[in-house]
Structure formats: structure tokens, C-alpha cells
Amino acid sequence: MQINIDPSLRLSRVLLTTLIEHGLAGVDTDDVEMHVGAAPTTLRRWVRTCRNPAICSRPAEVSVGRTHGHSATSPRPLARLPSSLHGPAKETTLQPRYAYSGRVRDRRRHGVTSGVRFLVRLCIPADPTAASDPYPRLSRDPRRRDTPELLIEDWREEIVRLAAHEARHVHQHRHDLPRSEADAERWAAARLEGYRCARDNGPVRLPS
């Protein structure tokens, strides 16, 4: 297991690695490479103006796509645009609701047969200790009713939960299981409890 940490993160590498390892516990990670980077502070949204009175009572901006950060140069539509939308596309900058995200890529699907099989990307705030998210908070994807509701006590638990969630997706890819978000969240909930036990009862002592 190789963990590459973006030097722009204003966080102890020892602490960050310890938190991630708690999240990865119980999953085979011998052929996994993880990259941990700073999450973008903005959200781009492309909009077009709807002038069709059958759809909008008055000219209104309709969202057609979005992406994180400043690297994208063109919009990525979420759906095919109806012909009733016209006017030039523009973008607005929004603050993302949460700054913790991850993604797993199975390199065998792209013809790689040896070495590192899974690439895992984690995005966290550049300085989690300065983030404005209120804690404790309840975490649940409102789009998926079968996912458990997790109580997140602080930014450290955010990192453990995120690492565990993506580790479960690695397990799903490896064993050709359904890519279930509910299953990944249930696994993350169990790993979070394991982290709390280690934190509160020892013998593991987390660096400050």
C-alpha cells in the first residue's frame, strides 16, 4: 500500500496516515495506491437561460452541469439540453456543501495486468482544522434511503469514514460485487466504531 500526500495539505502526515490506515483496516490493499489531495474550495455550475414560457414563467437560469475546482474548461451537461434553452452558457462559483470526497479506479479495466491495480483518490480540505463545518453532524446521502445515518464528531472521523468508504469500493471491485453505496457506508460505520474504540481505549494513541 502506497499513500501519496499532497504537500499543500496543512496537516501532519503522521496523523493523516494514521487516520487513513484506521479506515483501510480489514481490506486487502497490497495492490492499492492512494493519492490524498486538497479539495477545491469552489463549485462551478454552468447555466443557460430558459425563455420558454411553457417551462419557465419568466426568463430563468437553469443548471445544465457542474464540476469541482478550476481545471475544467468546458461544461459537462448532466442531461441533454431541450431546444427551449438558449442564450450563452455561463458559470457561477459556489461553495461546495462538503469538501470530503473519493474515487476508486480499477486499472485492469484499462488493460493494466500487473503492479498497482487500484488507484484511490481522496480529497479533503487543505486545512481540515480550519474548516467551517459544524460538528457533530449527521451524515447521510439524501438520494439513497438505504444508507445508514452516521454521526460524525470531528474532521478526524471524516477522514476515517471517507477512507473506509473507498476501501469498501476496492473490495467490491476486487470481488466483482455490486458497487453499493449503502454497503460502503455500512462498512464505514463499522470502521468508525473501531477507530473510536482504539482512540478511547487504546493501546493505539493517535498523534496530536
Side-chain angles (χ1 to χ4, degrees):
M1 173 68 181
Q2 180 179 351
I3 301 178
N4 300 311
I5 299 175
D6 188 335
S8 68
L9 293 175
R10 296 184 290 277
L11 189 64
S12 163
R13 295 177 64 90
V14 175
L15 173 57
L16 180 55
T17 300
T18 301
L19 294 171
I20 290 173
E21 288 176 346
H22 273 284
L24 297 177
V27 174
D28 181 7
T29 58
D30 289 343
D31 54 356
V32 174
E33 181 176 317
M34 177 174 288
H35 297 263
V36 187
T41 58
T42 57
L43 178 70
R44 281 186 170 185
R45 181 175 62 136
W46 280 269
V47 297
R48 289 187 183 273
T49 302
C50 175
R51 304 183 188 280
N52 186 338
I55 299 177
C56 307
S57 59
R58 58 184 178 179
E61 292 183 343
V62 179
S63 177
V64 298
R66 65 182 183 178
T67 186
H68 290 286
H70 300 277
S71 60
T73 57
S74 60
R76 296 183 301 167
L78 299 182
R80 181 176 297 177
L81 294 176
S83 59
S84 57
L85 298 183
H86 26 148
K90 69 175 185 177
E91 62 187 62
T92 57
T93 303
L94 303 174
Q95 188 73 20
R97 186 177 181 187
Y98 302 117
Y100 296 85
S101 62
R103 185 176 183 181
V104 175
R105 180 184 179 189
D106 186 348
R107 300 180 73 208
R108 286 192 180 178
R109 294 178 177 271
H110 301 271
V112 178
T113 58
S114 62
V116 174
R117 176 179 175 183
F118 298 102
L119 295 177
V120 181
R121 170 75 174 174
L122 302 184
C123 289
I124 65 174
D127 185 0
T129 63
S132 59
D133 287 339
Y135 293 105
R137 74 174 183 86
L138 291 175
S139 172
R140 184 179 185 183
D141 189 340
R143 299 168 300 177
R144 298 182 172 90
R145 297 183 180 180
D146 56 344
T147 57
E149 191 173 63
L150 302 183
L151 178 65
I152 308 296
E153 296 179 357
D154 56 28
W155 59 267
R156 296 174 182 84
E157 293 195 353
E158 294 274 17
I159 295 173
V160 173
R161 186 209 67 81
L162 176 62
H165 182 102
E166 298 308 322
R168 188 61 173 179
H169 283 317
V170 168
H171 175 82
Q172 293 168 353
H173 277 279
R174 188 186 304 281
H175 299 283
D176 293 324
L177 299 173
R179 315 299 189 252
S180 170
E181 293 295 329
D183 175 63
E185 277 298 277
R186 285 191 290 268
W187 176 264
R191 292 309 316 145
L192 199 51
E193 285 303 314
Y195 159 76
R196 288 168 178 163
C197 289
R199 177 196 63 192
D200 298 337
N201 303 320
V204 177
R205 182 178 178 85
L206 294 174
S208 58

mmCIF file of all heavy atoms in Angstrom, residues 119-152:
data_model
loop_
_atom_site.group_PDB
_atom_site.id
_atom_site.type_symbol
_atom_site.label_atom_id
_atom_site.label_comp_id
_atom_site.label_asym_id
_atom_site.label_seq_id
_atom_site.Cartn_x
_atom_site.Cartn_y
_atom_site.Cartn_z
ATOM 1 N N LEU A 119 -6.309 2.525 -8.056
ATOM 2 C CA LEU A 119 -5.925 3.893 -7.725
ATOM 3 C C LEU A 119 -7.077 4.525 -6.956
ATOM 4 O O LEU A 119 -8.214 4.550 -7.435
ATOM 5 C CB LEU A 119 -5.622 4.700 -8.988
ATOM 6 C CG LEU A 119 -4.422 4.257 -9.819
ATOM 7 C CD1 LEU A 119 -4.306 5.116 -11.072
ATOM 8 C CD2 LEU A 119 -3.134 4.324 -9.004
ATOM 9 N N VAL A 120 -6.788 5.017 -5.766
ATOM 10 C CA VAL A 120 -7.798 5.630 -4.922
ATOM 11 C C VAL A 120 -7.434 7.093 -4.735
ATOM 12 O O VAL A 120 -6.298 7.422 -4.377
ATOM 13 C CB VAL A 120 -7.887 4.940 -3.547
ATOM 14 C CG1 VAL A 120 -8.963 5.596 -2.689
ATOM 15 C CG2 VAL A 120 -8.176 3.453 -3.723
ATOM 16 N N ARG A 121 -8.394 7.959 -4.961
ATOM 17 C CA ARG A 121 -8.193 9.396 -4.813
ATOM 18 C C ARG A 121 -9.089 9.909 -3.691
ATOM 19 O O ARG A 121 -10.303 9.716 -3.725
ATOM 20 C CB ARG A 121 -8.547 10.112 -6.121
ATOM 21 C CG ARG A 121 -8.608 11.632 -6.034
ATOM 22 C CD ARG A 121 -7.226 12.240 -5.959
ATOM 23 N NE ARG A 121 -7.284 13.689 -6.018
ATOM 24 C CZ ARG A 121 -6.221 14.486 -5.865
ATOM 25 N NH1 ARG A 121 -5.039 13.958 -5.671
ATOM 26 N NH2 ARG A 121 -6.351 15.785 -5.935
ATOM 27 N N LEU A 122 -8.469 10.528 -2.678
ATOM 28 C CA LEU A 122 -9.213 11.158 -1.597
ATOM 29 C C LEU A 122 -8.993 12.663 -1.657
ATOM 30 O O LEU A 122 -7.867 13.123 -1.848
ATOM 31 C CB LEU A 122 -8.748 10.647 -0.227
ATOM 32 C CG LEU A 122 -8.823 9.149 0.062
ATOM 33 C CD1 LEU A 122 -8.419 8.887 1.508
ATOM 34 C CD2 LEU A 122 -10.209 8.601 -0.218
ATOM 35 N N CYS A 123 -10.050 13.412 -1.507
ATOM 36 C CA CYS A 123 -9.972 14.866 -1.443
ATOM 37 C C CYS A 123 -10.491 15.325 -0.083
ATOM 38 O O CYS A 123 -11.602 14.966 0.311
ATOM 39 C CB CYS A 123 -10.791 15.515 -2.554
ATOM 40 S SG CYS A 123 -10.088 15.322 -4.200
ATOM 41 N N ILE A 124 -9.663 16.102 0.611
ATOM 42 C CA ILE A 124 -10.038 16.647 1.909
ATOM 43 C C ILE A 124 -9.684 18.127 1.928
ATOM 44 O O ILE A 124 -8.918 18.588 1.080
ATOM 45 C CB ILE A 124 -9.321 15.903 3.056
ATOM 46 C CG1 ILE A 124 -7.811 16.143 2.981
ATOM 47 C CG2 ILE A 124 -9.627 14.410 3.014
ATOM 48 C CD1 ILE A 124 -7.031 15.568 4.157
ATOM 49 N N PRO A 125 -10.216 18.894 2.861
ATOM 50 C CA PRO A 125 -9.837 20.313 2.929
ATOM 51 C C PRO A 125 -8.330 20.464 3.118
ATOM 52 O O PRO A 125 -7.686 19.638 3.775
ATOM 53 C CB PRO A 125 -10.610 20.822 4.147
ATOM 54 C CG PRO A 125 -11.763 19.894 4.286
ATOM 55 C CD PRO A 125 -11.253 18.553 3.858
ATOM 56 N N ALA A 126 -7.762 21.522 2.555
ATOM 57 C CA ALA A 126 -6.327 21.751 2.685
ATOM 58 C C ALA A 126 -5.915 21.871 4.145
ATOM 59 O O ALA A 126 -4.840 21.426 4.540
ATOM 60 C CB ALA A 126 -5.924 23.002 1.910
ATOM 61 N N ASP A 127 -6.792 22.442 4.951
ATOM 62 C CA ASP A 127 -6.557 22.539 6.395
ATOM 63 C C ASP A 127 -7.839 22.130 7.106
ATOM 64 O O ASP A 127 -8.687 22.974 7.406
ATOM 65 C CB ASP A 127 -6.146 23.952 6.790
ATOM 66 C CG ASP A 127 -5.772 24.046 8.272
ATOM 67 O OD1 ASP A 127 -5.844 23.013 8.971
ATOM 68 O OD2 ASP A 127 -5.414 25.147 8.722
ATOM 69 N N PRO A 128 -8.020 20.823 7.374
ATOM 70 C CA PRO A 128 -9.269 20.370 7.989
ATOM 71 C C PRO A 128 -9.555 21.028 9.330
ATOM 72 O O PRO A 128 -10.707 21.198 9.711
ATOM 73 C CB PRO A 128 -9.052 18.857 8.152
ATOM 74 C CG PRO A 128 -7.996 18.516 7.162
ATOM 75 C CD PRO A 128 -7.105 19.708 7.095
ATOM 76 N N THR A 129 -8.489 21.412 10.047
ATOM 77 C CA THR A 129 -8.689 22.010 11.367
ATOM 78 C C THR A 129 -9.334 23.387 11.283
ATOM 79 O O THR A 129 -9.913 23.860 12.249
ATOM 80 C CB THR A 129 -7.355 22.128 12.112
ATOM 81 O OG1 THR A 129 -6.485 23.019 11.395
ATOM 82 C CG2 THR A 129 -6.681 20.769 12.220
ATOM 83 N N ALA A 130 -9.246 24.017 10.099
ATOM 84 C CA ALA A 130 -9.815 25.357 9.925
ATOM 85 C C ALA A 130 -11.138 25.333 9.180
ATOM 86 O O ALA A 130 -11.723 26.387 8.927
ATOM 87 C CB ALA A 130 -8.823 26.251 9.174
ATOM 88 N N ALA A 131 -11.629 24.138 8.809
ATOM 89 C CA ALA A 131 -12.886 24.045 8.067
ATOM 90 C C ALA A 131 -14.043 24.547 8.921
ATOM 91 O O ALA A 131 -14.039 24.429 10.145
ATOM 92 C CB ALA A 131 -13.136 22.610 7.625
ATOM 93 N N SER A 132 -15.056 25.101 8.249
ATOM 94 C CA SER A 132 -16.184 25.714 8.951
ATOM 95 C C SER A 132 -17.341 24.755 9.197
ATOM 96 O O SER A 132 -18.365 25.156 9.730
ATOM 97 C CB SER A 132 -16.696 26.921 8.150
ATOM 98 O OG SER A 132 -17.112 26.525 6.852
ATOM 99 N N ASP A 133 -17.189 23.466 8.792
ATOM 100 C CA ASP A 133 -18.276 22.507 9.007
ATOM 101 C C ASP A 133 -18.580 22.360 10.492
ATOM 102 O O ASP A 133 -17.669 22.172 11.298
ATOM 103 C CB ASP A 133 -17.898 21.134 8.441
ATOM 104 C CG ASP A 133 -17.924 21.113 6.928
ATOM 105 O OD1 ASP A 133 -18.594 21.988 6.346
ATOM 106 O OD2 ASP A 133 -17.285 20.235 6.335
ATOM 107 N N PRO A 134 -19.857 22.455 10.884
ATOM 108 C CA PRO A 134 -20.205 22.296 12.305
ATOM 109 C C PRO A 134 -20.173 20.827 12.717
ATOM 110 O O PRO A 134 -20.646 19.955 11.997
ATOM 111 C CB PRO A 134 -21.633 22.857 12.366
ATOM 112 C CG PRO A 134 -22.194 22.610 10.991
ATOM 113 C CD PRO A 134 -21.034 22.740 10.036
ATOM 114 N N TYR A 135 -19.615 20.578 13.874
ATOM 115 C CA TYR A 135 -19.570 19.218 14.424
ATOM 116 C C TYR A 135 -20.131 19.239 15.837
ATOM 117 O O TYR A 135 -19.993 20.242 16.541
ATOM 118 C CB TYR A 135 -18.140 18.682 14.439
ATOM 119 C CG TYR A 135 -17.557 18.449 13.067
ATOM 120 C CD1 TYR A 135 -16.615 19.325 12.542
ATOM 121 C CD2 TYR A 135 -17.962 17.363 12.301
ATOM 122 C CE1 TYR A 135 -16.082 19.124 11.268
ATOM 123 C CE2 TYR A 135 -17.429 17.149 11.034
ATOM 124 C CZ TYR A 135 -16.492 18.031 10.528
ATOM 125 O OH TYR A 135 -15.973 17.816 9.281
ATOM 126 N N PRO A 136 -20.743 18.123 16.246
ATOM 127 C CA PRO A 136 -21.003 16.910 15.459
ATOM 128 C C PRO A 136 -22.097 17.134 14.426
ATOM 129 O O PRO A 136 -22.925 18.048 14.587
ATOM 130 C CB PRO A 136 -21.440 15.902 16.514
ATOM 131 C CG PRO A 136 -22.057 16.737 17.585
ATOM 132 C CD PRO A 136 -21.259 18.003 17.617
ATOM 133 N N ARG A 137 -22.102 16.312 13.369
ATOM 134 C CA ARG A 137 -23.120 16.428 12.333
ATOM 135 C C ARG A 137 -23.553 15.038 11.887
ATOM 136 O O ARG A 137 -22.806 14.066 12.014
ATOM 137 C CB ARG A 137 -22.605 17.220 11.135
ATOM 138 C CG ARG A 137 -21.614 16.471 10.246
ATOM 139 C CD ARG A 137 -21.261 17.275 9.004
ATOM 140 N NE ARG A 137 -20.378 16.530 8.110
ATOM 141 C CZ ARG A 137 -20.811 15.671 7.185
ATOM 142 N NH1 ARG A 137 -22.101 15.441 7.033
ATOM 143 N NH2 ARG A 137 -19.951 15.044 6.396
ATOM 144 N N LEU A 138 -24.764 14.941 11.378
ATOM 145 C CA LEU A 138 -25.278 13.693 10.833
ATOM 146 C C LEU A 138 -24.957 13.626 9.352
ATOM 147 O O LEU A 138 -25.178 14.597 8.616
ATOM 148 C CB LEU A 138 -26.781 13.582 11.055
ATOM 149 C CG LEU A 138 -27.237 13.394 12.503
ATOM 150 C CD1 LEU A 138 -28.762 13.432 12.584
ATOM 151 C CD2 LEU A 138 -26.712 12.088 13.070
ATOM 152 N N SER A 139 -24.420 12.500 8.917
ATOM 153 C CA SER A 139 -24.039 12.324 7.518
ATOM 154 C C SER A 139 -24.905 11.239 6.895
ATOM 155 O O SER A 139 -24.912 10.095 7.352
ATOM 156 C CB SER A 139 -22.559 11.932 7.430
ATOM 157 O OG SER A 139 -22.212 11.581 6.106
ATOM 158 N N ARG A 140 -25.630 11.619 5.846
ATOM 159 C CA ARG A 140 -26.429 10.649 5.103
ATOM 160 C C ARG A 140 -26.730 11.212 3.730
ATOM 161 O O ARG A 140 -27.058 12.391 3.594
ATOM 162 C CB ARG A 140 -27.736 10.343 5.830
ATOM 163 C CG ARG A 140 -28.568 9.267 5.143
ATOM 164 C CD ARG A 140 -29.835 8.972 5.902
ATOM 165 N NE ARG A 140 -30.573 7.867 5.310
ATOM 166 C CZ ARG A 140 -31.745 7.441 5.757
ATOM 167 N NH1 ARG A 140 -32.284 7.998 6.826
ATOM 168 N NH2 ARG A 140 -32.345 6.438 5.165
ATOM 169 N N ASP A 141 -26.599 10.364 2.721
ATOM 170 C CA ASP A 141 -26.907 10.779 1.359
ATOM 171 C C ASP A 141 -28.423 10.810 1.193
ATOM 172 O O ASP A 141 -29.073 9.763 1.251
ATOM 173 C CB ASP A 141 -26.287 9.799 0.359
ATOM 174 C CG ASP A 141 -26.378 10.287 -1.079
ATOM 175 O OD1 ASP A 141 -27.232 11.161 -1.354
ATOM 176 O OD2 ASP A 141 -25.614 9.795 -1.915
ATOM 177 N N PRO A 142 -29.022 11.991 1.004
ATOM 178 C CA PRO A 142 -30.482 12.056 0.895
ATOM 179 C C PRO A 142 -31.035 11.368 -0.339
ATOM 180 O O PRO A 142 -32.220 11.062 -0.397
ATOM 181 C CB PRO A 142 -30.748 13.575 0.855
ATOM 182 C CG PRO A 142 -29.485 14.165 0.315
ATOM 183 C CD PRO A 142 -28.383 13.300 0.859
ATOM 184 N N ARG A 143 -30.167 11.063 -1.315
ATOM 185 C CA ARG A 143 -30.634 10.407 -2.532
ATOM 186 C C ARG A 143 -30.768 8.902 -2.347
ATOM 187 O O ARG A 143 -31.352 8.233 -3.183
ATOM 188 C CB ARG A 143 -29.658 10.697 -3.684
ATOM 189 C CG ARG A 143 -29.516 12.165 -4.033
ATOM 190 C CD ARG A 143 -28.335 12.386 -4.945
ATOM 191 N NE ARG A 143 -27.090 11.959 -4.309
ATOM 192 C CZ ARG A 143 -25.912 11.990 -4.918
ATOM 193 N NH1 ARG A 143 -25.817 12.409 -6.171
ATOM 194 N NH2 ARG A 143 -24.813 11.602 -4.268
ATOM 195 N N ARG A 144 -30.192 8.366 -1.257
ATOM 196 C CA ARG A 144 -30.215 6.914 -1.042
ATOM 197 C C ARG A 144 -30.773 6.635 0.345
ATOM 198 O O ARG A 144 -30.084 6.786 1.355
ATOM 199 C CB ARG A 144 -28.812 6.342 -1.182
ATOM 200 C CG ARG A 144 -28.218 6.540 -2.585
ATOM 201 C CD ARG A 144 -26.837 5.915 -2.673
ATOM 202 N NE ARG A 144 -26.329 5.928 -4.037
ATOM 203 C CZ ARG A 144 -25.616 6.923 -4.548
ATOM 204 N NH1 ARG A 144 -25.336 7.985 -3.814
ATOM 205 N NH2 ARG A 144 -25.186 6.874 -5.791
ATOM 206 N N ARG A 145 -32.018 6.189 0.376
ATOM 207 C CA ARG A 145 -32.684 5.967 1.652
ATOM 208 C C ARG A 145 -32.161 4.750 2.398
ATOM 209 O O ARG A 145 -32.401 4.612 3.600
ATOM 210 C CB ARG A 145 -34.192 5.828 1.420
ATOM 211 C CG ARG A 145 -34.838 7.092 0.854
ATOM 212 C CD ARG A 145 -36.336 6.919 0.711
ATOM 213 N NE ARG A 145 -36.960 8.125 0.173
ATOM 214 C CZ ARG A 145 -38.263 8.246 -0.054
ATOM 215 N NH1 ARG A 145 -39.075 7.216 0.205
ATOM 216 N NH2 ARG A 145 -38.747 9.366 -0.536
ATOM 217 N N ASP A 146 -31.447 3.843 1.690
ATOM 218 C CA ASP A 146 -30.971 2.639 2.348
ATOM 219 C C ASP A 146 -29.607 2.822 3.007
ATOM 220 O O ASP A 146 -29.069 1.883 3.588
ATOM 221 C CB ASP A 146 -30.913 1.479 1.352
ATOM 222 C CG ASP A 146 -30.045 1.797 0.138
ATOM 223 O OD1 ASP A 146 -29.736 2.983 -0.085
ATOM 224 O OD2 ASP A 146 -29.693 0.854 -0.601
ATOM 225 N N THR A 147 -29.015 4.023 2.919
ATOM 226 C CA THR A 147 -27.726 4.252 3.561
ATOM 227 C C THR A 147 -27.934 4.618 5.024
ATOM 228 O O THR A 147 -28.889 5.312 5.372
ATOM 229 C CB THR A 147 -26.955 5.386 2.864
ATOM 230 O OG1 THR A 147 -27.751 6.579 2.862
ATOM 231 C CG2 THR A 147 -26.613 5.010 1.440
ATOM 232 N N PRO A 148 -27.051 4.160 5.907
ATOM 233 C CA PRO A 148 -27.208 4.485 7.325
ATOM 234 C C PRO A 148 -26.874 5.940 7.605
ATOM 235 O O PRO A 148 -26.129 6.585 6.861
ATOM 236 C CB PRO A 148 -26.204 3.548 8.002
ATOM 237 C CG PRO A 148 -25.156 3.312 6.973
ATOM 238 C CD PRO A 148 -25.885 3.302 5.653
ATOM 239 N N GLU A 149 -27.423 6.448 8.682
ATOM 240 C CA GLU A 149 -27.141 7.812 9.114
ATOM 241 C C GLU A 149 -26.003 7.765 10.118
ATOM 242 O O GLU A 149 -26.109 7.115 11.158
ATOM 243 C CB GLU A 149 -28.391 8.426 9.739
ATOM 244 C CG GLU A 149 -28.288 9.920 9.987
ATOM 245 C CD GLU A 149 -29.614 10.495 10.437
ATOM 246 O OE1 GLU A 149 -30.079 10.084 11.518
ATOM 247 O OE2 GLU A 149 -30.178 11.339 9.721
ATOM 248 N N LEU A 150 -24.901 8.436 9.809
ATOM 249 C CA LEU A 150 -23.714 8.399 10.653
ATOM 250 C C LEU A 150 -23.556 9.708 11.405
ATOM 251 O O LEU A 150 -23.763 10.793 10.840
ATOM 252 C CB LEU A 150 -22.453 8.151 9.817
ATOM 253 C CG LEU A 150 -22.403 6.870 8.977
ATOM 254 C CD1 LEU A 150 -21.059 6.763 8.288
ATOM 255 C CD2 LEU A 150 -22.646 5.657 9.845
ATOM 256 N N LEU A 151 -23.167 9.610 12.667
ATOM 257 C CA LEU A 151 -22.845 10.794 13.445
ATOM 258 C C LEU A 151 -21.338 11.013 13.357
ATOM 259 O O LEU A 151 -20.551 10.184 13.823
ATOM 260 C CB LEU A 151 -23.278 10.618 14.899
ATOM 261 C CG LEU A 151 -22.939 11.795 15.827
ATOM 262 C CD1 LEU A 151 -23.726 13.036 15.396
ATOM 263 C CD2 LEU A 151 -23.238 11.440 17.272
ATOM 264 N N ILE A 152 -20.936 12.106 12.751
ATOM 265 C CA ILE A 152 -19.524 12.454 12.600
ATOM 266 C C ILE A 152 -19.182 13.490 13.662
ATOM 267 O O ILE A 152 -19.762 14.572 13.690
ATOM 268 C CB ILE A 152 -19.229 13.014 11.198
ATOM 269 C CG1 ILE A 152 -19.752 12.066 10.115
ATOM 270 C CG2 ILE A 152 -17.743 13.270 11.032
ATOM 271 C CD1 ILE A 152 -19.087 10.728 10.088
#
